[in-house]
Amino acid sequence: MDNNLTAKIRIHLFTHDKCFGPGIYQVLEKVDKLGSLRSAAADMNMSYSKAWKMVKTCEENLGFKLLISSTGGKNGGGAHITDEAHAFMEAYEQYVAKVNAFSEELLKEKFNFYKNS
């Protein structure tokens, strides 16, 4: 049994309210991959209305569009990520990676006395 000490960090960004975190990041990743918010929500076992509300709340708090949607048509509509959303997601990924790397080092430093094999 592995008893190594680890830390799990979930990073949420705030303006006046929580506006970006792992959940909306995953929704946007899925939209980017699947081409629609409805497909992304279904893939995550989330209702479309919840996913839509997450996107709208985030857009309101950040002040820019995350998705560009099209409805109907011969291809059935869909959505894609805006350039601003891509840039924000990339910055979030880099921020999370640095915080996690720092956390790992600090965990080793502060809990070096804990050896449970």
Side-chain angles (χ1 to χ4, degrees), residues 12-77:
H12 298 273
L13 303 177
F14 292 76
T15 53
H16 64 280
D17 197 7
K18 182 169 75 170
C19 66
F20 200 88
I24 187 67
Y25 180 87
Q26 188 178 8
V27 167
L28 295 174
E29 265 191 328
K30 296 282 185 181
V31 169
D32 204 26
K33 179 181 175 189
L34 301 173
S36 83
L37 183 58
R38 187 169 304 282
S39 297
D43 192 64
M44 296 174 66
N45 295 318
M46 177 187 296
S47 71
Y48 171 79
S49 62
K50 180 176 179 175
W52 185 86
K53 184 177 179 186
M54 287 173 71
V55 169
K56 290 301 163 197
T57 299
C58 188
E59 287 177 340
E60 288 168 12
N61 288 320
L62 292 176
F64 59 86
K65 298 280 287 171
L66 297 173
L67 298 179
I68 296 176
S69 300
S70 59
T71 56
K74 72 178 187 178
N75 296 326

Side-chain angles (χ1 to χ4, degrees), residues 2-4 9 23 29 37 86 88 107 112 116:
D2 184 12
N3 287 331
N4 289 332
I9 299 173
E29 265 191 328
L37 183 58
H86 274 293
F88 199 87
L107 185 72
N112 66 352
N116 190 3

